[in-house]
Amino acid sequence: MKTSDFYYDLPQELIAQTPLERRDGSRLLTLDKVTGEWEHRHFYDLPEYLNPGDCLILNDSRVLPARLLGQRLPGGGACEVLLLIDKGEGTWECLVRPGRKMKPGARLSFGNGELTAEVTEELPGGNRLVHFNYDGIFLEVLERLGKMPLPPYIKEELQDSERYQTVYSKVLGSAAAPTAGLHFTPELLKKIADMGVNIGYVTLHVGLGTFRPVKEDNIEEHPMHSEYCVVPPETAELINRTRASGGRCVCVGTTSCRTLESFAAEDGHMEPSAGWTDIFIYPGYKFKVMDALVTNFHLPESTLVMLVSAFAGREHILNAYAEAVKERYRFFSFGDAMFIH
């Protein structure tokens, strides 16, 4: 299967640069994965598509303010460091700029010296290991000095960093938001729970590999990035109970989907699990757990378009995307949503 099979034409002006004031006021394109039929709704209509006895699975990962802007020492030239993976004892794997000036031994300063660092190693592929020095608790220093690492297609500065967090985010560790969940409000979640839909949580820390383009012509040759995820005992039990009673497992976002599909047994049974996943879901994949999906619109030729195509069929997905473009939906992180059922 070719990467070009998942291309669609997207006008630049449809890429949402800012979030709507009302989270659940975004538009919602619902898609029947069997018939390919769609409806135009709003996100606050989502409860109409859920049934008592279903379970809604949310990714509670919280985005780190992982983008640090500082100076190189001793000269004072500007630098940028993006934290990717905590390696322990003050060392992180990072993306750095300017790369040619950030060789091992380079010293860095952030926040007028409140945080200092040294590049200790250059990794294959160009990432760096950076060791940080600070007083107190690193995450508290990061909250003061760090900025939200927005996706590369968002050019505008975000005024309220909480708007790039889901209202239920809890576990710090993501380099990007699990964006399907950005549409939920506490009131909408309460309405869903009150109608008899059980809500469960998993954690998948989103890596920047989620934005990595597929460069191979044959999608099966694409090396998938790894991300750390957790299915806690109460969520595994909820999913097993829901499926045994005939309810649906509704995933919010491709991250929740990938977490469950990574750890489910072939018959869909879930056990509490934790570990790294590099699961790559594309057409031909047989879903074990997920029955319906809340998701955003995704980049052309991306692994995420391939995932939703595996769930609903490539032709249905590309037709739905063409309809969304025609109707001027907003795309990507701050854009509108789909419900595939």
Side-chain angles (χ1 to χ4, degrees):
M1 192 166 286
K2 300 297 185 184
T3 299
S4 58
D5 292 337
F6 299 90
Y7 177 80
Y8 68 93
D9 189 33
L10 178 67
Q12 284 289 116
E13 65 268 19
L14 295 187
I15 300 175
Q17 295 295 314
T18 55
L20 295 179
E21 185 173 341
R22 178 178 173 181
R23 285 179 182 259
D24 63 356
S26 57
R27 298 169 76 184
L28 179 69
L29 181 70
T30 68
L31 176 66
D32 186 314
K33 65 186 176 70
V34 176
T35 67
E37 294 179 355
W38 59 69
E39 288 186 284
H40 297 291
R41 304 296 296 270
H42 286 88
F43 200 83
Y44 50 72
D45 297 321
L46 180 65
E48 295 181 29
Y49 293 87
L50 303 176
N51 304 318
D54 288 346
C55 66
L56 189 72
I57 305 300
L58 309 169
N59 179 7
D60 64 6
S61 183
R62 187 169 174 81
V63 186
L64 285 164
R67 183 172 169 239
L68 290 164
L69 304 177
Q71 292 78 40
R72 304 190 308 276
L73 300 176
C79 68
E80 180 176 339
V81 172
L82 185 62
L83 308 179
L84 297 178
I85 301 172
D86 184 0
K87 296 294 188 178
E89 299 182 350
T91 296
W92 286 73
E93 181 176 339
C94 303
L95 286 173
V96 300
R97 284 196 292 187
R100 58 190 174 79
K101 299 275 183 80
M102 305 271 273
K103 302 297 184 184
R107 293 183 296 117
L108 317 170
S109 174
F110 308 93
N112 296 317
E114 182 179 352
L115 178 67
T116 60
E118 180 178 342
V119 178
T120 59
E121 186 178 340
E122 183 171 350
L123 301 174
N127 290 355
R128 307 291 199 273
L129 291 183
V130 179
H131 181 76
F132 291 91
N133 300 290
Y134 52 90
D135 291 325
I137 299 171
F138 183 67
L139 291 179
E140 291 181 358
V141 175
L142 203 57
E143 288 283 355
R144 290 194 295 274
L145 302 182
K147 292 180 175 289
M148 206 55 69
L150 294 176
Y153 48 75
I154 294 179
K155 309 301 182 186
E156 296 195 20
E157 192 75 21
L158 183 61
Q159 300 303 313
D160 176 13
S161 62
E162 275 302 305
R163 197 57 185 78
Y164 194 56
Q165 305 278 14
T166 63
V167 296
Y168 49 81
S169 64
K170 184 172 63 174
V171 186
L172 273 169
S174 278
T179 55
L182 294 177
H183 303 283
F184 285 91
T185 64
E187 295 78 15
L188 184 61
L189 288 169
K190 183 178 186 303
K191 182 177 181 179
I192 289 169
D194 287 347
M195 62 182 281
V197 175
N198 295 300
I199 297 175
Y201 296 91
V202 296
T203 303
L204 181 142
H205 291 316
V206 184
L208 289 183
T210 193
F211 303 115
R212 182 189 299 164
V214 179
K215 296 180 179 178
E216 290 75 15
D217 291 334
N218 182 346
I219 66 172
E220 295 178 27
E221 297 175 2
H222 174 69
M224 196 67 175
H225 59 287
S226 293
E227 294 165 311
Y228 187 77
C229 51
V230 179
V231 180
E234 61 271 18
T235 301
E237 193 276 331
L238 169 61
I239 291 168
N240 293 335
R241 188 174 74 244
T242 298
R243 299 182 77 249
S245 62
R248 297 178 302 169
C249 180
V250 181
C251 289
V252 175
T254 56
T255 59
S256 298
C257 166
R258 292 179 68 242
T259 300
L260 297 189
E261 294 294 328
S262 293
F263 294 127
E266 287 302 315
D267 64 358
H269 182 78
M270 295 295 307
E271 292 287 343
S273 308
W276 292 85
T277 181
D278 61 357
I279 189 171
F280 184 9
I281 297 175
Y282 53 84
Y285 179 84
K286 185 178 183 295
F287 286 85
K288 297 173 285 190
V289 181
M290 185 174 74
D291 299 301
L293 174 66
V294 177
T295 187
N296 279 19
F297 294 93
H298 304 295
L299 286 162
E301 301 183 333
S302 65
T303 60
L304 303 181
V305 165
M306 295 169 192
L307 185 154
V308 295
S309 296
F311 188 56
R314 184 177 66 91
E315 186 174 335
H316 288 343
I317 288 295
L318 293 182
N319 285 342
Y321 272 50
E323 173 70 7
V325 169
K326 180 170 75 74
E327 293 298 321
R328 312 295 290 176
Y329 275 61
R330 291 157 46 94
F331 277 66
F332 308 154
S333 293
F334 291 138
D336 297 315
M338 293 183 73
F339 179 61
I340 306 172
H341 62 100

